[in-house]
Amino acid sequence: VAIRRFSVVGVIIFYFCQVYSQSAKITNPYDGQYFRSPVDYDFQLSGNFCELRETHFHAGIDIKPSSIFGRVPLYSIGKGYVSRIKISAGGYGKAIFIEHPEVGYTSVYAHLDGFNDRIEFIINQHQKSLESYEIDILLNPDILPIEKGAFIGNMGNTGHSFGKHLHFEIRDTKTEKPINPFHFGIKSEDHIAPSLITLAIHGLDPDFYKIWEKRISLIHQKEKEITITTPIEVPAWRTGIALNMFDKSDNSHNKQGIYGFHLYVDDSLVYSYHLDKISYDQSRYITGFYDYKVRKKENTTYSLCYKYPGNNLDFLNTGDNGLIPVYIAKERKVRMEIEDFNKNRRTIHFSLIRAEQMTEQTAKDSTLSVIKVGDSLAVNDNYLSIYFEPNSLFRNIRLNIQKEENAKNEIKYHIHDKYEPIKKPIKIGLTPKFPKPNKLDKAIIVRTNGNGGSKVNYGGRWSKEQLTTDMIEFGTFFIDYDTIAPTIKSISFTPNVGKKSEVRFQIKDNLPTRGKMVDNIRIKVWIDGNFVISPYTSKTQILQIPMKDLSNGGHDLKIEVIDHSGNVANFTAGFVVKK
Ligand SMILES: [Zn+2]
């Protein structure tokens, strides 16, 4: 009896192990099999994970179409359900999120042209009930369950996209952190090592400001190992390196980002990273990851190979911030390795030595107050208040604010230096010297690049007597009044619509907008008093009104457009459909 009982337990344990090992095998999303490709051809990329965009690290990969003509169907990479649908005039355009609960990841597909019938049906329902083309809805698991490989929609060019492609992401569902899709086997062929354009050597002061720079072109160096034989003389105590570089993958002309970087000084690793994950909160720290001033002035991107004190990007591995102290009598031996995901690698060797003659540092204005990266500071003038939260900055600044008042008592504030990057949005409040009570709802905060620069609408909300917004760039800020309504101009509308399947209008507002404290224009379209879902695209400023479901005969069209300041534009017209 005892033996039999033992064997039953043994069988159960054996069976349990089998099930356990099988399920462990099935649910390994990194095995290259769990997820499939979102397309059914060997794709090429026009963008890779974490490549450096102006305001963020690219959160996914950009997959090129198999052909620019015709439909390019897209498929769910795994089993799960549609958990979110977001339709917007800019940004991701038509986008869906598919949650894969078995493994805890969510796949994201953006810039689609359209969706499968079931998804389109759900979208239409929400657009109608919300009376808005733009929607952002969360769905329960039972509404749109989906199998691995199921058709979800077609590749498109909607939202902030400039050419047909799929923007594809895989996120950790819980943390929402995007992860490099290459880790799941969703990648293209790559046998091409990264391209190195220019090496920059920065002489730095103790606050990480550049006091000297030397650039060395690497563009003609095609070898895997580059050696610069003459020691580079640096007329400063400490050095930082920056690199202008990109990667290419097979059969794609697009410049993409590199994957891994290692900087060794005298054979010890001082700065390195692998671009495996990026959190959305940290994505905007990119302005302290590349040379911001050079990017703004020359439109060229140099990755810094050293870390500003405030730049706590999770993926950075640094000892001593990647700074290299230089000495007169001792050469520092530097080695940099730059690689892509497939381990195609370039290496640069050179050495640094301190010059006899040092660069004179320009004296800093000691009347200005210093803001250290970890400190908070409130700045209050009669008509201005700024609050720097701790860690709003990448490096210490000496805050420079200039006030300028014109004959009409309008005050402009030139706030610090437009070439200094900001890490986190900084609250700024402006108070009008002579408030215009009848125009308060039209008041906005405007930013320009100094005097005469073009205006950008930062919106703002009133809080007591003050209009407040988030400053994400330094520059010139002042209160302005937007009393100009958007414009609605016909492109293809005539009173005789005939057989047209849609009519188009151009919708424009007078000022470009920036930041989260400004509302974009809201557009509504009615035909015969019924709300009509009409796609609008910010980049083209084109509104498309569908006509295909209308019956023959006369109809009434009404378009309403409202901007951030509540300025309203209306267009009404009668028209005739004859199919
Ligand atoms: Zn993209």
Side-chain angles (χ1 to χ4, degrees):
V1 174
I3 290 165
R4 257 175 74 189
R5 196 176 286 163
F6 177 77
S7 69
V8 168
V9 171
V11 166
I12 290 168
I13 290 171
F14 176 75
Y15 182 71
F16 177 78
C17 290
Q18 283 297 100
V19 170
Y20 180 79
S21 72
Q22 261 181 27
S23 69
K25 204 167 106 203
I26 292 167
T27 54
N28 173 13
Y30 291 98
D31 66 0
Q33 302 298 315
Y34 184 81
F35 288 132
R36 55 154 284 166
S37 164
V39 296
D40 58 7
Y41 53 92
D42 286 330
F43 61 80
Q44 279 133 35
L45 294 177
S46 56
N48 66 0
F49 184 74
C50 265
E51 64 179 38
L52 314 183
R53 302 288 171 90
E54 191 172 350
T55 56
H56 60 276
F57 290 92
H58 190 227
I61 57 175
D62 289 341
I63 296 178
K64 292 190 178 205
S66 49
S67 155
I68 53 166
F69 306 107
R71 283 173 355 107
V72 180
L74 304 174
Y75 306 94
S76 175
I77 61 162
K79 184 177 148 76
Y81 67 94
V82 177
S83 55
R84 182 179 173 190
I85 302 173
K86 191 172 183 194
I87 313 278
S88 37
Y92 282 7
K94 295 185 177 183
I96 68 165
F97 296 63
I98 298 176
E99 193 172 323
H100 310 285
E102 202 172 52
V103 285
Y105 293 101
T106 298
S107 52
V108 183
Y109 314 71
H111 309 306
L112 270 61
D113 187 42
F115 302 93
N116 75 29
D117 292 345
R118 275 170 61 223
I119 301 172
E120 284 287 352
F121 178 78
I122 300 290
I123 293 172
N124 278 354
Q125 278 187 323
H126 283 86
Q127 287 175 321
K128 277 187 189 147
S129 73
L130 295 164
E131 295 213 338
S132 173
Y133 167 69
E134 296 194 285
I135 54 167
D136 186 2
I137 49 170
L138 302 178
L139 300 170
N140 288 332
D142 53 330
I143 298 180
L144 287 168
I146 203 150
E147 289 301 316
K148 179 177 177 178
F151 169 69
I152 51 176
N154 290 310
M155 191 181 281
N157 187 29
T158 54
H160 197 70
S161 164
F162 300 87
K164 182 155 107 180
H165 77 283
L166 170 68
H167 172 90
F168 173 76
E169 293 176 20
I170 296 181
R171 299 185 187 177
D172 181 307
T173 304
K174 232 183 249 157
T175 63
E176 291 188 311
K177 271 190 193 181
I179 299 166
N180 194 334
F182 288 0
H183 282 300
F184 301 90
I186 299 172
K187 55 182 185 160
S188 63
E189 291 287 310
D190 184 359
H191 298 89
I192 306 167
S195 298
L196 309 172
I197 311 299
T198 311
L199 169 69
I201 315 289
H202 298 168
L204 298 169
D205 78 3
D207 285 324
F208 291 75
Y209 287 85
K210 220 189 281 178
I211 52 173
W212 174 86
E213 179 172 13
K214 182 189 176 84
R215 293 186 189 174
I216 299 166
S217 174
L218 303 173
I219 201 155
H220 299 296
Q221 308 265 10
K222 300 293 176 203
E223 309 79 30
K224 293 260 148 105
E225 302 255 343
I226 299 172
T227 304
I228 299 166
T229 44
T230 320
I232 299 163
E233 284 193 27
V234 182
W237 295 98
R238 52 191 84 65
T239 308
I241 314 288
L243 262 178
N244 178 15
M245 59 189 162
F246 60 85
D247 187 38
K248 278 193 178 183
S249 51
D250 298 4
N251 306 314
S252 172
H253 67 273
N254 299 81
K255 291 177 179 176
Q256 297 158 41
I258 64 147
Y259 168 70
F261 178 85
H262 302 92
L263 169 65
Y264 296 88
V265 178
D266 298 329
D267 292 320
S268 56
L269 187 64
V270 299
Y271 184 88
S272 68
Y273 54 85
H274 293 104
L275 298 172
D276 295 317
K277 271 186 222 181
I278 180 78
S279 80
Y280 272 88
D281 302 339
Q282 296 196 346
S283 197
R284 61 162 293 110
Y285 299 176
I286 194 162
T287 54
F289 182 76
Y290 61 66
D291 191 329
Y292 188 77
K293 187 173 184 172
V294 168
R295 170 121 190 177
K296 287 279 169 194
K297 284 187 142 174
E298 303 173 32
N299 199 24
T300 311
T301 307
Y302 282 82
S303 299
L304 298 177
C305 310
Y306 58 95
K307 186 181 95 67
Y308 289 147
N311 202 355
N312 52 340
L313 275 160
D314 283 342
F315 59 71
L316 289 180
N317 248 312
T318 68
D320 212 15
N321 296 328
L323 283 192
I324 310 168
V326 280
Y327 311 111
I328 287 188
K330 183 178 163 245
E331 278 182 25
R332 304 305 304 272
K333 200 173 73 173
V334 179
R335 181 171 95 243
M336 292 194 289
E337 295 168 354
I338 300 101
E339 63 189 20
D340 64 23
F341 193 85
N342 286 0
K343 301 236 159 39
N344 299 300
R345 181 183 285 176
R346 304 285 303 278
T347 307
I348 314 172
H349 304 266
F350 58 93
S351 61
L352 298 169
I353 192 150
R354 200 166 85 216
E356 301 267 345
Q357 198 69 34
M358 299 286 272
T359 298
E360 285 287 330
Q361 289 186 37
T362 43
K364 293 189 175 173
D365 188 343
S366 56
T367 62
L368 299 173
S369 51
V370 176
I371 310 178
K372 295 197 168 155
V373 291
D375 292 353
S376 63
L377 182 79
V379 179
N380 286 298
D381 191 48
N382 286 342
Y383 307 103
L384 167 74
S385 70
I386 309 177
Y387 181 67
F388 289 87
E389 267 184 52
N391 306 311
S392 310
L393 300 164
F394 290 108
R395 51 186 181 181
N396 302 345
I397 64 169
R398 277 172 193 269
L399 183 65
N400 186 358
I401 298 175
Q402 307 285 331
K403 183 173 161 184
E404 187 190 327
E405 191 166 346
N406 67 15
K408 289 190 280 178
N409 295 114
E410 291 160 342
I411 301 168
K412 282 184 178 180
Y413 285 99
H414 306 288
I415 300 171
H416 203 59
D417 176 357
K418 65 184 175 193
Y419 295 127
E420 178 65 22
I422 289 176
K423 183 179 161 191
K424 279 191 209 160
I426 296 165
K427 277 265 171 284
I428 167 178
L430 295 174
T431 312
K433 190 168 180 181
F434 296 103
K436 303 177 182 174
N438 54 335
K439 275 168 80 179
L440 285 184
D441 59 332
K442 306 292 180 202
I444 53 172
I445 292 179
V446 156
R447 180 191 177 274
T448 62
N449 261 330
N451 277 322
S454 56
K455 292 178 185 175
V456 175
N457 183 353
Y458 270 64
R461 311 260 182 268
W462 284 103
S463 146
K464 293 173 191 151
E465 258 84 80
Q466 216 173 38
L467 191 58
T468 62
T469 194
D470 286 338
M471 182 165 62
I472 47 181
E473 301 166 280
F474 291 117
T476 299
F477 290 84
F478 53 96
I479 288 181
D480 204 350
Y481 298 87
D482 181 10
T483 54
I484 301 170
T487 56
I488 305 171
K489 199 179 118 199
S490 161
I491 296 173
S492 65
F493 175 79
T494 55
N496 183 8
V497 161
K499 292 177 182 169
K500 279 182 195 149
S501 65
E502 66 171 33
V503 294
R504 295 182 167 216
F505 286 83
Q506 186 177 54
I507 312 272
K508 276 188 181 177
D509 200 12
N510 54 322
L511 290 174
T513 58
R514 182 113 210 256
K516 290 206 169 86
M517 297 290 279
V518 60
D519 302 321
N520 288 316
I521 51 169
R522 285 159 291 156
I523 302 172
K524 278 192 181 181
V525 178
W526 296 269
I527 293 176
D528 305 328
N530 300 314
F531 174 77
V532 178
I533 302 160
S534 305
Y536 176 72
T537 304
S538 320
K539 72 179 178 227
T540 56
Q541 303 178 315
I542 286 174
L543 174 73
Q544 298 161 265
I545 304 175
M547 293 279 144
K548 55 183 184 300
D549 296 332
L550 294 178
S551 56
N552 280 344
H555 297 278
D556 290 314
L557 171 66
K558 183 180 178 199
I559 307 171
E560 181 188 82
V561 185
I562 306 176
D563 71 10
H564 171 87
S565 299
N567 299 300
V568 184
N570 278 302
F571 178 94
T572 53
F575 64 93
V576 176
V577 170
K578 198 176 171 202
K579 288 177 188 159

